[in-house]
Amino acid sequence: MVVRGAVDPGHRRTRVGSLRGSFGTEPYQAAHDIVALRKSSAGHRTNRPDTSPADAVNDNGGGLDWATTCGDNTASWPRDPARYQRDARREKSRLPFYGDFAANITPCAFWPRGAEPATHVDNSVGALVVQNQWDPQTPLSSGRAMHRALHGSRLVYVRGGRGHAVYALPGAPACVTRTVNAYLTGGRLPRTDVTCDS
């Protein structure tokens, strides 16, 4: 049995999809699993292809994730597999812990080009953007870019916050809960951006 990204001693395989997902929900567990993978595979390298059956996936959830990730901006995904190989090698040397995992090829390299034009943001209603400092799926720079793109938005920045979500989770900072509740129940935005400590 393979749990999250842990190594299956019989097959020396991982559930890469599960491991990728755990970076968003359980970053410390994912980091632990990657360390275990690196240690276990160090003495078991082979040039033989892995012919064992692929892990079962949730077709709807996985398909929806890839359709969104790949289809929203197909122009940004390189089509040449050799490019991913070069990127993975470069990122592995630059970021030995995580780099080649993030830079490796995904279905986006083969996904059909999107038919819809990019969405132009021109909102007329204020929005609230909530962003953890150490979000592993939406980097802080992307959260701030969304804040700038949405007219009249306010940013709730969680200094030291980890994970992809913070609101309505156990241990959420009170100032996040208070600010988001005010927005959801009455449409009230804070007068300025808010910084909360995790």
Side-chain angles (χ1 to χ4, degrees):
M1 178 177 174
V2 182
V3 179
R4 283 189 288 272
V7 173
D8 177 345
H11 293 99
R12 301 286 172 205
R13 297 181 61 225
T14 64
R15 280 187 145 156
V16 174
S18 297
L19 180 57
R20 188 179 302 274
S22 70
F23 271 98
T25 57
E26 303 172 56
Y28 288 113
Q29 182 62 49
H32 173 77
D33 291 344
I34 283 186
V35 169
L37 284 168
R38 297 246 190 243
K39 286 180 181 176
S40 70
S41 65
H44 298 88
R45 300 203 185 274
T46 178
N47 290 328
R48 290 178 293 142
D50 182 356
T51 57
S52 55
D55 293 325
V57 297
N58 176 328
D59 287 343
N60 290 335
L64 178 61
D65 286 346
W66 286 121
T68 303
T69 301
C70 304
D72 273 359
N73 190 8
T74 53
S76 69
W77 295 100
R79 298 294 173 158
D80 179 12
R83 162 79 183 274
Y84 289 90
Q85 187 178 34
R86 289 190 304 272
D87 289 350
R89 283 184 182 142
R90 182 193 68 236
E91 292 300 294
K92 184 176 182 181
S93 65
R94 192 171 75 86
L95 305 165
F97 177 67
Y98 182 75
D100 61 330
F101 181 75
N104 220 325
I105 198 164
T106 70
C108 298
F110 311 102
W111 206 267
R113 297 283 183 203
E116 295 181 21
T119 301
H120 175 70
V121 176
D122 190 19
N123 63 302
S124 58
V125 176
L128 188 66
V129 178
V130 182
Q131 177 70 46
N132 274 330
Q133 180 177 7
W134 301 113
D135 186 324
Q137 289 181 284
T138 305
L140 179 57
S141 58
S142 295
R144 287 182 170 153
M146 177 62 75
H147 171 44
R148 287 190 303 271
L150 292 169
H151 307 304
S153 70
R154 294 291 183 267
L155 175 68
V156 178
Y157 167 61
V158 184
R159 183 173 36 220
R162 300 182 188 107
H164 187 52
V166 62
Y167 175 70
L169 294 178
C175 75
V176 170
T177 303
R178 200 172 41 249
T179 307
V180 175
N181 283 349
Y183 177 71
L184 293 177
T185 59
R188 294 184 305 278
L189 287 170
R191 291 184 182 182
T192 62
D193 293 341
V194 175
T195 296
C196 303
D197 289 312
S198 64

